[in-house]
């Protein structure tokens, strides 16, 4: 999927990586089961999931994934990668209400997933590929940044930076832009700015080299500004496949 939190056309912005025949789902929004079904997949095909932050368009499908794999004896528990602080909050504030009890058992997160908490400034490995977790500034809770993390990793051909969700803050992440070959960047395309995502008009102010390797995602339904004319690589289309 490539849509914003409020999409009705493009599913939530979640990415599926296939490495050596194994599949890592990056975020698992509320539309995940429909998006997977549309490309001929289901919960059975997901070996692991990485969660960037706790908004429903990034975690709303986890209950589906957890229950389906738990009650299907042919399934192994998927691995769950997330920042260690976020993983605690994910269970206590988001998932426990639905997953916290089943018949004759009080459950915990590790009943459904093989949990792999990531320490501060840490990495995780999936199928031999090392993923660097990068904190982004998405939402403030008073005086505290709510945990939200993008990823940087080296593919066979390209080095990738996936922002997941971030405000427009080039001073903080221009170094990451410069260090990679391809960027997948969340991008608001609505007429108004929410302040919690990078807006198209802000991203157009970046230098031409950065824009040229930037693919835009997490956009609103409906008409969008011309990304290629503005110097970007383009918008990611729902279901689009990249060989990296």
């Amino acid at each position: 999927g490539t849509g914003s939190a409020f999409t009705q056309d493009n599913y939530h912005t979640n990415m599926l990586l296939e490495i050596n025949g194994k599949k890592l789902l990056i975020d698992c929004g509320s539309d995940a089961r429909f998006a997977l079904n549309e490309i001929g997949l289901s919960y059975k095909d997901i070996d692991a999931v990485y969660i960037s932050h706790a908004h429903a368009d990034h975690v709303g499908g986890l209950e589906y994934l957890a229950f389906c794999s738990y009650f299907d004896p042919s399934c192994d528990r998927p691995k769950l990668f997330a920042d260690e602080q976020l993983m605690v909050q994910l269970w206590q504030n988001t998932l426990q209400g639905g997953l916290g009890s089943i018949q004759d058992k009080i459950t915990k997160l590790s009943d459904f997933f093989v949990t792999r908490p990531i320490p501060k400034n840490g990495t995780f490995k999936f199928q031999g590929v090392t993923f660097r977790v990068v904190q982004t500034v998405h939402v403030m809770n008073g005086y505290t940044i709510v945990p939200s993390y993008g990823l940087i990793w080296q593919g066979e051909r390209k080095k990738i930076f996936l922002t997941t969700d971030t405000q427009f803050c080039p001073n903080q992440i221009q170094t990451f832009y410069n260090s990679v070959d391809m960027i997948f960047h969340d991008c608001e395309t609505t007429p108004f700015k929410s302040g919690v995502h990078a807006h198209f008009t802000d991203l157009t102010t970046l230098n031409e080299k950065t824009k040229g390797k930037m693919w835009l995602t997490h956009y609103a339904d409906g008409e969008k500004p011309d990304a290629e004319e503005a110097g970007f690589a383009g918008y990611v289309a729902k279901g689009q496949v990249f060989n990296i």
Side-chain angles (χ1 to χ4, degrees):
T2 57
S4 72
F6 312 111
T7 185
Q8 297 186 53
D9 298 334
N10 296 303
Y11 299 137
H12 292 144
T13 295
N14 304 158
M15 178 182 286
L16 187 66
L17 297 185
E18 183 171 351
I19 305 172
N20 300 325
K22 298 293 185 179
K23 294 180 176 62
L24 170 66
L25 184 61
I26 299 180
D27 286 328
C28 185
S30 302
D31 300 336
R33 68 188 192 276
F34 304 111
L36 288 169
N37 181 67
E38 192 166 288
I39 58 173
L41 300 175
S42 75
Y43 65 92
K44 294 184 179 183
D45 299 292
I46 303 304
D47 300 288
V49 58
Y50 167 79
I51 295 299
S52 64
H53 65 290
H55 282 155
D57 56 320
H58 297 261
V59 301
L62 278 178
E63 184 173 305
Y64 147 80
L65 182 61
F67 273 141
C68 286
S69 57
Y70 182 88
F71 286 110
D72 187 337
S74 69
C75 284
D76 295 326
R77 287 176 300 158
K79 291 184 177 67
L80 176 64
F81 298 101
D83 167 77
E84 57 188 359
Q85 178 187 1
L86 172 61
M87 191 170 287
V88 173
Q89 295 177 359
L90 187 63
W91 176 250
Q92 293 178 347
N93 300 338
T94 303
L95 296 176
Q96 190 173 19
L99 295 176
S101 58
I102 56 179
Q103 187 65 30
D104 298 325
K105 184 175 182 177
I106 297 174
T107 57
K108 52 188 182 297
L109 189 60
S110 58
D111 288 314
F112 301 100
F113 298 99
V114 179
T115 55
R116 293 288 184 264
I118 305 164
K120 184 177 181 180
N121 290 317
T123 63
F124 70 91
K125 282 193 174 184
F126 178 75
Q127 290 297 105
V129 176
T130 299
F131 292 81
R132 165 67 61 183
V133 175
V134 180
Q135 183 162 23
T136 59
V137 181
H138 179 30
V139 180
M140 296 292 292
N141 182 8
Y143 297 94
T144 305
I145 299 175
V146 174
S148 185
Y149 298 88
L151 290 174
I152 290 178
W153 74 95
Q154 177 68 57
E156 290 185 354
R157 304 178 182 185
K158 304 273 189 181
K159 189 174 184 180
I160 312 300
F161 177 30
L162 170 65
T163 61
T164 64
D165 286 4
T166 183
Q167 297 179 23
F168 182 67
C169 47
N171 291 339
Q172 285 72 32
I173 58 177
Q174 185 65 54
T175 299
F176 305 133
Y177 292 158
N178 295 342
S179 70
V180 300
D181 306 302
M182 181 181 287
I183 303 162
F184 292 96
H185 208 297
D186 57 318
C187 174
E188 281 187 342
T189 54
T190 52
F192 53 88
K193 296 181 181 181
S194 71
V196 300
H197 290 283
H199 194 273
F200 183 89
T201 56
D202 292 324
L203 291 171
T204 59
T205 66
L206 295 170
N207 66 66
E208 295 303 315
K209 184 176 181 180
T210 298
K211 290 191 295 183
K213 55 187 176 182
M214 185 175 287
W215 288 89
L216 305 178
T217 188
H218 208 290
Y219 45 78
D221 294 342
E223 189 174 349
K224 303 183 292 297
D226 191 320
E228 293 181 22
E229 183 178 320
F232 299 104
Y235 291 104
V236 184
K238 182 180 70 171
Q240 186 171 354
V241 176
F242 293 84
N243 186 346
I244 58 173

